[in-house]
Amino acid sequence: MTADRPLLTCRALRKAFPGVVALDAVDFDVCTGQVVALVGENGAGKTTLVKLLSGVHRLDSGAMTYAGQPFAPPGPAEAMDAGIAMVHQETNLLLNMSVADNIFLGRQPLRAGLVDYQALRRATRQQLERVGLADLDPDALVGRLAVAARQKVEIAKALALDARLLILDEPTAALPEDDAEILFRLIDDLKTQGVAFVYITHRLGEVRRVADRVVVLRDGRRVAEFDDPTVDVDEFVRVMVGREVTQVYPEPPEPAADEVLHVAGLTRAGAFEDISFTVRAGEVLGIAGLVGAGRTEVVRALAGADSVDAGEVRVDGRLLRLRSPEDALRAGIVLVPEDRKEQGLVLDLSLRDNVALPSLRKLAVRGVVRLKRVTELVRDVAGQLDLRGRPEQPARTLSGGNQQKAVIAKWLPREPRVVIFDEPTRGIDVGAKQAIYALIQRLASRGVAVVVISSELPEVLGLAHRVLVLAKGRLTGELARSEATEEAVMQRAVSV
């Protein structure tokens, strides 16, 4: 049940950065006890809007009120003091500290000038009860918690600051379906306590589950608002991208008979055991399984990032000795990792430098890298992926979708024989997903062997010729495209 009393009002918000207007005349309201979903493609202005609300950016023009008072926080601390807190996709918790110390960091109760740990634990338990973690030990190290539990601790931390408006940024991006539903029930409960939410997501199906109202941004403008979140997902997509998106998954081309990747008996103690499969030229192989099944561990071994205890890997019939990622690269294997920020990009380098890094030898003349060659290379791969951003722009300032495209773009000049995508569309919008799906199809049509891991099962089923299923580090099934259904995959994913 939602209230109709406005908690936050925004009128004609405008924010510009050099060369781009990020927000233009945007109106935005949130009522007490209401969930407002904020959707749009990457670069639509969602992040800029919530950074204005949370005090990271300052308005160029326009006005905001919060709890009936003019609102213009000069920084994040002032926004949090007012009762607005942001829960990021990657939680901002200190992993080597306890749950209690994270929730009350800098505000621990004192007695005689020292931390009163008894009072701290008592206060922590009160906040944990609010988020459904009554059984969690306040002294537990955050680094040992599952992702879903960390996210709840982050919400408890915000509630301990008396937050009345929570901004959730892609909260289910790293959660399995069951944990996502637990989060939704928590949101339902907190709404009854008067807490309001701004909910940012690219998973349009869950908007129908969690939102009371939906606001759509495109190119920095508010282009639509839905008071009925049960609107068909296709309508959300049409408004977001300004055009019809008729085919989500392109039909994969017919693979050749030639075997490109051959894996036999691959084993890493404690991670996976006796994994064997092949991938033909032009084939897209999907790998499915629940969180912890060993999917990422297997492909990290194929990319030379982790060692193995047994087994063999061949590319085009040649036996490989994978002692490092460089060995894999020389053999023609590249990995687009699941964490683009930590493993895929050098965030403080420019877009141009990130794309050029793997190809510096190719771009050099007598040991000197030629800027003209770099510029031409970046322009070429950016065009293939519709990668948007100034070449000199720091990678950390790119939208999530363009960061992911940059990770992929840097490998294209290497002309790999095997491309492995681990969660290729996590946290990116519909338009960016379409560009990546089209690239996967193009790679396959050129005879590249493609491997795709995704926690979104429809994505695996829609892209792949065949699907391997892992459970607890073991291969439990192989399904042809014609027989690969969600039910068939899940039966094998829980069979061990």
Side-chain angles (χ1 to χ4, degrees):
M1 180 177 180
T2 63
D4 57 9
R5 176 163 53 88
L7 175 65
L8 171 76
T9 64
C10 303
R11 294 292 176 267
L13 301 188
R14 177 182 172 85
K15 181 65 181 178
F17 300 97
V20 62
V21 177
L23 285 180
D24 190 10
V26 170
D27 293 347
F28 186 72
D29 296 338
V30 184
C31 294
T32 300
Q34 183 182 63
V35 177
V36 179
L38 187 61
V39 302
E41 293 188 272
N42 286 111
K46 306 185 302 296
T47 298
T48 301
L49 175 55
V50 298
K51 284 185 175 180
L52 289 172
L53 302 182
S54 58
V56 176
H57 293 327
R58 301 292 299 275
L59 275 175
D60 292 339
S61 62
M64 298 187 290
T65 65
Y66 178 74
Q69 300 296 320
F71 182 63
E78 288 78 9
M80 293 180 69
D81 288 343
I84 295 179
M86 187 161 182
V87 178
H88 297 270
Q89 180 178 339
E90 295 94 4
T91 57
N92 290 327
L93 298 172
L94 299 174
L95 302 185
N96 61 343
M97 295 183 67
S98 71
V99 170
D101 286 333
N102 268 278
I103 291 177
F104 289 96
L105 186 64
R107 301 178 298 108
Q108 293 96 331
L110 302 178
R111 184 173 61 184
L114 300 174
V115 174
D116 185 344
Y117 284 101
Q118 185 174 356
L120 176 62
R121 293 185 185 97
R122 184 166 55 248
T124 300
R125 290 191 183 96
Q126 291 175 350
Q127 298 303 328
L128 292 176
E129 286 177 3
R130 295 186 67 184
V131 298
L133 291 176
D135 295 332
L136 181 60
D137 184 357
D139 294 325
L141 284 180
V142 167
R144 296 179 180 174
L145 302 181
V147 173
R150 292 183 195 178
Q151 196 169 61
K152 287 186 176 184
V153 170
E154 185 99 56
I155 294 174
K157 178 180 177 180
L159 296 174
L161 293 166
D162 296 323
R164 300 171 60 189
L165 174 63
L166 292 182
I167 302 168
L168 305 184
D169 183 9
E170 293 288 347
T172 64
L175 296 183
E177 188 172 324
D178 290 346
D179 285 341
E181 180 56 35
I182 292 171
L183 175 65
F184 298 154
R185 291 199 294 267
L186 171 60
I187 291 172
D188 293 339
D189 182 53
L190 292 174
K191 281 170 56 180
T192 66
Q193 301 176 35
V195 178
F197 294 86
V198 176
Y199 191 96
I200 300 174
T201 185
H202 291 304
R203 295 184 173 182
L204 300 180
E206 69 189 29
V207 168
R208 298 158 62 91
R209 164 63 178 87
V210 76
D212 300 299
R213 194 158 51 85
V214 184
V215 173
V216 184
L217 298 183
R218 186 173 75 234
D219 298 329
R221 291 179 171 271
R222 192 184 79 164
V223 294
E225 180 175 328
F226 297 94
D227 291 323
D228 179 8
T230 62
V231 170
D232 187 76
V233 169
D234 290 341
E235 176 65 10
F236 284 141
V237 173
R238 186 190 65 77
V239 174
M240 283 171 54
V241 303
R243 64 186 186 278
E244 296 290 341
V245 179
T246 56
Q247 187 177 11
V248 176
Y249 304 108
E251 189 69 22
E254 187 66 26
D258 300 336
E259 182 180 281
V260 175
L261 177 65
H262 178 93
V263 179
L266 209 63
T267 298
R268 177 180 171 87
F272 52 85
E273 181 180 357
D274 194 24
I275 304 297
S276 300
F277 62 89
T278 62
V279 189
R280 292 180 288 163
E283 184 177 25
V284 180
L285 177 74
I287 300 182
L290 301 177
V291 173
R295 301 168 303 172
T296 293
E297 290 79 1
V298 168
V299 297
R300 280 179 57 86
L302 294 178
D306 294 332
S307 62
V308 297
D309 300 313
E312 66 176 39
V313 178
R314 297 177 182 268
V315 170
D316 292 326
R318 182 165 62 91
L319 181 64
L320 306 182
R321 187 177 180 186
L322 299 175
R323 295 163 297 183
S324 69
E326 182 61 29
D327 290 336
L329 285 172
R330 281 197 294 265
I333 301 175
V334 300
L335 169 64
V336 178
E338 62 176 337
D339 190 334
R340 55 182 170 263
K341 291 184 178 180
E342 292 293 329
Q343 302 170 4
L345 295 170
V346 183
L347 294 176
D348 290 329
L349 290 184
S350 67
L351 168 60
R352 177 177 54 216
D353 289 345
N354 270 279
V355 171
L357 270 176
S359 304
L360 291 180
R361 292 177 183 172
K362 179 179 179 180
L363 298 169
V365 177
R366 290 191 291 274
V368 178
V369 175
R370 300 301 183 183
L371 181 59
K372 181 180 179 181
R373 290 189 175 190
V374 172
T375 302
E376 291 173 349
L377 179 141
V378 173
R379 185 187 302 121
D380 177 54
V381 296
Q384 292 184 51
L385 281 164
D386 191 25
L387 171 55
R388 301 176 186 179
R390 302 185 308 279
E392 67 278 6
Q393 184 175 351
R396 70 169 63 254
T397 66
L398 296 170
S399 68
N402 283 311
Q403 285 182 343
Q404 186 70 353
K405 290 177 183 179
V407 176
I408 298 170
K410 72 180 187 179
W411 296 125
L412 298 183
R414 296 290 298 243
E415 299 181 350
R417 295 291 291 137
V418 180
V419 180
I420 304 168
F421 294 90
D422 191 358
E423 302 289 359
T425 63
R426 174 177 287 172
I428 67 175
D429 62 71
V430 173
K433 285 183 178 182
Q434 287 296 107
I436 291 173
Y437 296 157
L439 174 69
I440 289 173
Q441 183 188 48
R442 289 200 302 273
L443 289 171
S445 67
R446 297 172 188 169
V448 176
V450 181
V451 178
V452 176
I453 296 174
S454 177
S455 296
E456 296 187 39
L457 196 48
E459 187 168 79
V460 174
L461 302 181
L463 292 171
H465 293 93
R466 286 182 297 128
V467 178
L468 301 182
V469 186
L470 296 184
K472 296 183 180 179
R474 300 184 68 88
L475 185 60
T476 57
E478 178 180 324
L479 299 166
R481 184 177 178 85
S482 60
E483 59 185 359
T485 64
E486 293 193 36
E487 293 79 6
V489 170
M490 289 307 299
Q491 285 175 357
R492 289 159 177 80
V494 299
S495 63
V496 175

